[in-house]
Structures are given as C-alpha cells and as structure tokens.
Amino acid sequence: GDSVTQMEGPVTLSEEAFLTINCTYTATGYPSLFWYVQYPGEGLQLLLKATKADDKGSNKGFEATYRKETTSFHLEKGSVQVSDSAVYFCALNERDTNAGKSTFGDGTTLTVKP
Amino acid sequence: DTAVSQTPKYLVTQMGNDKSIKCEQNLGHDTMYWYKQDSKKFLKIMFSYNNKELIINETVPNRFSPKSPDKAHLNLHINSLELGDSAVYFCASSPLGTGTTEAFFGQGTRLTVV
C-alpha cells in the first residue's frame, strides 16, 4: 500500500535559519504530493502541492520539488520566521482515485525561536 | 463563509456517554472524511463518504457510526465513550475524481473523555 515517511521531529530552529523537512513516499501509481501545515489549535491547510514529476510547488517562501527518481518531496524554506512554528504534514493522493483518500505522514513539529 | 465547519469545537464528557460531532461543507464537494489526530499529532483516516455512500471504513470500533444525510453533511456519532477516544477529530472534504486536489479541513473537535 501507499505510505509517506517524514523526518522525525521535533525540529527547533532560530529565526532566519534554513529549513528542510524530508519526505519520501511509496505509491503504486503516479501520485499527487502535498504539504499541509497545521498551526496551533487549527485544522490542516494546504501549504503547497505538485501533481507530476519535476513540478515545484511553492507558497509563503516554502518550496518542494516532486522527485520521481528518489520518490521524495522535501520541504524547504530559506529563512524561517517565528510565525512558521507549526506541524507540517506530507501527504499523497493516488491519481484516478474516486475515493479521494489521502495518505499522510506522521507530521513534523517545527518550533522557530526568536 | 467557513468552507468546512464542525461543531462543537470542544467536547468534554464522561466515560460511557454517547456524543455526536457535526460537520458541514459548503464547497460542493462530493467526498467527505473523518480523521482522528492523537496526542502525538498522528493523523489517521476513519471514514470516507462519496455522495452519502460509505467508501472507506478503516479499522474503527463499531461504537463509531458516521451518518451522511446529504452530501454536504457528515456527522460522527460515538457510543459508550472510552478514555482512549480522547483526541482531536477532523472533518474534511474534497472533490471527487483525479486525486490532484487537496482536502479541505475543518477546525477540529477536541474530545476529552474523563
């Protein structure tokens, strides 16, 4: 079955540091890949996505590139802010699925200190 | 307008009670879900409905019974609540089809069983 493996947390960084959160996946088909962010006390919201190989998703200074050859979708940001403190989830959807079920990683908690 | 709304946001109840959580989406989506997030932030799908039809029922005790009166609503009823049911429950929705579109999450219902 499908699976998503994320870098274990928690991750603690100082403001303006470089962020990488690793994500690798296993899927039978050609999935779409997503990063969701969950701020404290809130639901998950989409951060960025990529629907085919070599696509780069970007939003709010975050980027991730769909790498089919390494089955990876690592999340990066050049300079984090305190407001980026949240839990980050990598997820995949199989293509052509009518069930619409997403497979989520276990989440990585990021804390950014001033 | 809130896209996916859940009520209540907080629910504290005693063991053995029966409780319901309501969810409504105004996005016109065909698919709705219930997820459970435990204290470690792990997110697990419980149920998925397509147009009021149950599609996914993961290994969930039969004390949990989803009800979908129409495609815009998916409620979760829990009988004989146990301490281990304490968690945050998220409702989500997405369009039916290719899997390239993200899920939209509600704000969550924090259930505490005492």
Side-chain angles (χ1 to χ4, degrees):
Chain A
D2 297 343
S3 67
V4 175
T5 302
Q6 278 182 241
M7 177 172 135
E8 281 192 32
V11 174
T12 302
L13 296 173
S14 297
E15 210 164 21
E16 299 184 3
F18 184 85
L19 169 71
T20 301
I21 301 178
N22 289 341
C23 171
T24 56
Y25 67 89
T26 303
T28 51
Y30 299 94
S32 295
L33 302 173
F34 305 82
W35 276 102
Y36 289 84
V37 58
Q38 183 181 22
Y39 297 106
E42 297 185 12
L44 281 72
Q45 55 187 274
L46 180 72
L47 180 60
L48 53 84
K49 69 179 183 182
T51 58
K52 61 183 188 296
D54 299 325
D55 270 1
K56 178 188 281 189
S58 60
N59 186 24
K60 299 182 181 180
F62 290 89
E63 292 183 341
T65 301
Y66 189 141
R67 300 282 187 206
K68 189 162 180 281
E69 63 276 14
T70 53
T71 61
S72 64
F73 193 54
H74 305 322
L75 183 69
E76 296 183 336
K77 186 174 186 183
S79 175
V80 293
Q81 305 301 312
V82 172
S83 57
D84 294 326
S85 297
V87 184
Y88 292 82
F89 291 90
C90 186
L92 71 82
N93 287 359
E94 282 283 11
R95 211 169 279 277
D96 299 325
T97 172
N98 283 328
K101 174 185 169 184
S102 296
T103 301
F104 285 85
D106 286 341
T108 301
T109 300
L110 170 67
T111 302
V112 181
K113 302 198 170 203
Chain B
D1 278 347
T2 304
V4 181
S5 59
Q6 296 177 227
T7 53
K9 187 166 182 175
Y10 299 97
L11 183 54
V12 180
T13 188
Q14 290 188 325
M15 281 175 57
N17 283 351
D18 303 338
K19 289 293 178 186
S20 293
I21 306 171
K22 295 187 176 181
C23 179
E24 176 181 5
Q25 55 97 1
N26 63 6
L27 297 167
H29 290 163
D30 295 291
T31 307
M32 294 186 73
Y33 316 81
W34 279 108
Y35 285 87
K36 179 180 179 181
Q37 186 175 46
D38 64 21
S39 58
K40 294 184 179 179
K41 304 293 187 185
F42 297 157
L43 198 65
K44 300 297 179 193
I45 192 165
M46 300 172 69
F47 302 103
S48 173
Y49 270 72
N50 278 357
N51 284 318
K52 306 192 296 175
E53 180 185 352
L54 180 65
I55 298 296
I56 294 172
N57 181 353
E58 294 293 324
T59 312
V60 176
N62 57 14
R63 298 182 295 103
F64 290 79
S65 52
K67 293 278 192 304
S68 183
D70 55 61
K71 77 171 195 177
H73 295 84
L74 181 61
N75 304 322
L76 183 66
H77 188 76
I78 315 170
N79 289 329
S80 303
L81 278 154
E82 300 177 357
L83 293 176
D85 298 332
S86 296
V88 181
Y89 292 85
F90 287 102
C91 178
S93 72
S94 69
L96 188 67
T98 64
T100 59
T101 307
E102 66 275 18
F104 292 75
F105 283 79
Q107 293 289 301
T109 296
R110 182 174 293 278
L111 171 65
T112 304
V113 182
V114 296

